[in-house]
Amino acid sequence: MKKVFVTRPIPENGIKMLKDKGFEVVVNDAAKDRAATKEELLSGVKGADAVLSILTDKIDAEIMEVGLPTLKIIANYAVGYDNLDIKGAKERNILVTNTPGVLTEAVAEHTFALLLAVAKRIPEADKFARAGNYHAWGPELLLGTDVAEKNLGIVGLGRIGSEVARHAYNGFNMKILYTDPKPNPEFEKTFNATYVDTIDNLLPQCDFVSIHVPLMDSTRHLINDERLHKMKPTAYLINTSRGPIVDEAALAKALKEGTIKGAALDVFEFEPAINEDLKKLDNAVITPHIASGTMKTRAKMAELAAANIIEVLEGRTPANLVQ
Ligand code: NAD
């Protein structure tokens, strides 16, 4: 019987799909509210034909080696796959898949929720009101920033970046600027968008900058101290991609010193740890990596990850092969 190791509990529909195929499905239930430990990963992968992994799992060469000779596929329950040693998998002929597309809408909506929350100072105002500080309407009480018709810079115009731009254009008549190694003239026509050749040329023009690139060596600390200083002092940074793309200590300093006006983040450089200075700042809005966290989206991710495993274990090419 083929064995599938699921590193942490996921929505039941994915588990059912795998069981219905007659596979032995071992779910690491101990890791419901925490990351799986290395020991759990090492013991679970032993004799497994497939691993369904979560972005909190660092699947390195050592773990893959323990999975040999049975292990054929690692199906990541995420669109990003920076938690996996892709080169190591390739060297061992282990296929890797992800779950692109099904979470685009949820992440784009969350990105926009963060953008509005930081511009309108929602968490700060909520805290203020609950603390009993609201004594009278005031002409200058907790003033926020307008969003309509402002310049939005998209860094990485892929699936999620394009969807964020669509909301911004259709809902708020924002002016879209974007940078990406691959320009998209069709998108430019539809959304009256402007392509900017480099991030350095993009940053000074934007009132809001939203990051949507994958984490790779070339994008680590893409936003650093120097680039934060290229942004307008009135600008906001939104990051729902991956934490290490932003130098978090440099960002905390920039927010404290007024280099930029505010930031809203769903991902963190050393998550689950969050920079202590950042946590103290009212001009930082923080959510704990929940951008894809809707019931519908998480169920679709489970379905896609399970489908990728089924394809491979039944000898076909999976739909979402990343290598
Ligand atoms: P995608 O592959 O469709 O888009 C990524 C885009 O970035 C591509 O167009 C690519 O050309 C571009 N790009 C790459 N390097 C670049 C660079 N240096 N400068 C500018 N652009 C660059 O991916 P997607 O589905 O839109 O997802 C984007 C990222 O969002 C994922 O890699 C993932 O890490 C992250 N994500 C986060 C969450 C969350 O829960 N917060 C959920 C889903 C995805």
Side-chain angles (χ1 to χ4, degrees):
M1 190 191 264
K2 297 223 161 80
K3 174 184 161 187
V4 180
F5 173 51
V6 182
T7 63
R8 294 181 64 186
I10 59 162
E12 201 47 43
N13 61 318
I15 305 291
K16 183 173 181 310
M17 280 172 68
L18 295 166
K19 283 187 176 162
D20 286 350
K21 284 287 173 184
F23 303 148
E24 178 197 359
V25 183
V26 178
V27 182
N28 182 25
D29 287 317
K32 181 164 172 26
D33 299 313
R34 58 158 173 84
T37 64
K38 179 122 187 194
E39 289 67 36
E40 288 167 350
L41 295 176
L42 284 167
S43 117
V45 76
K46 209 170 187 168
D49 296 273
V51 170
L52 196 156
S53 58
I54 308 293
L55 59 87
T56 51
D57 305 323
K58 276 253 154 299
I59 310 270
D60 58 17
E62 186 191 347
I63 293 172
M64 290 177 196
E65 203 57 40
V66 171
L68 294 180
T70 48
L71 185 60
K72 290 175 195 62
I73 170 171
I74 301 170
N76 215 33
Y77 181 81
V79 64
Y81 43 87
D82 45 277
N83 56 308
L84 309 175
D85 176 359
I86 295 295
K87 195 166 150 271
K90 195 175 190 139
E91 284 164 6
R92 290 168 181 80
N93 286 322
I94 300 167
L95 300 177
V96 174
T97 58
N98 64 346
T99 59
V102 293
L103 38 61
T104 300
E105 268 175 35
V107 179
E109 284 178 7
H110 193 83
T111 303
F112 228 85
L114 284 176
L115 186 153
L116 290 171
V118 71
K120 306 296 170 189
R121 301 170 67 176
I122 302 292
E124 194 185 345
D126 178 276
K127 209 160 61 173
F128 175 91
R130 285 171 200 266
N133 294 326
Y134 180 43
H135 304 301
W137 183 90
E140 295 190 31
L141 179 63
L142 286 161
L143 297 184
T145 301
D146 296 301
V147 171
E149 292 171 17
K150 292 286 180 67
N151 285 359
L152 171 65
I154 301 281
V155 182
L157 192 83
R159 289 172 291 254
I160 298 169
S162 316
E163 185 69 0
V164 170
R166 194 175 68 80
H167 290 316
Y169 180 75
N170 288 336
F172 293 86
N173 202 20
M174 292 180 89
K175 167 72 194 156
I176 311 298
L177 300 101
Y178 77 100
T179 188
D180 193 295
K182 291 171 266 170
N184 184 338
E186 194 57 39
F187 174 88
E188 286 165 36
K189 240 189 282 160
T190 312
F191 296 101
N192 192 25
T194 303
Y195 177 69
V196 183
D197 58 349
T198 65
I199 188 168
D200 294 299
N201 290 335
L202 177 88
L203 294 175
Q205 303 185 54
C206 300
D207 302 301
F208 296 88
V209 174
S210 195
I211 312 289
H212 301 287
V213 297
L215 175 61
M216 307 175 282
D217 287 344
S218 59
T219 57
R220 196 172 289 275
H221 281 196
L222 187 70
I223 301 291
N224 55 17
D225 182 60
E226 191 190 331
R227 294 221 165 102
L228 287 162
H229 279 89
K230 290 190 171 164
M231 292 175 68
K232 296 182 190 177
T234 51
Y236 297 84
L237 180 74
I238 326 294
N239 186 18
T240 57
S241 59
R242 283 289 182 266
I245 291 164
V246 175
D247 178 342
E248 204 166 291
L251 175 64
K253 187 165 170 280
L255 290 171
K256 212 165 165 176
E257 294 177 354
T259 310
I260 65 170
K261 182 99 174 168
L265 311 165
D266 184 52
V267 288
F268 305 91
E269 188 170 0
F270 305 105
E271 66 183 67
I274 301 173
N275 181 291
E276 288 302 321
D277 289 336
L278 204 59
K279 283 198 273 187
K280 290 185 198 124
L281 295 169
D282 277 333
N283 56 348
V285 175
I286 287 169
T287 56
H289 206 149
I290 54 165
S292 70
T294 66
M295 293 282 280
K296 179 178 138 199
T297 297
R298 292 284 162 87
K300 280 188 175 175
M301 288 164 68
E303 186 183 322
L304 207 50
N308 283 320
I309 289 176
I310 292 166
E311 292 296 293
V312 172
L313 296 193
E314 292 189 340
R316 296 182 295 272
T317 304
N320 310 112
L321 205 53
V322 299
Q323 68 88 16

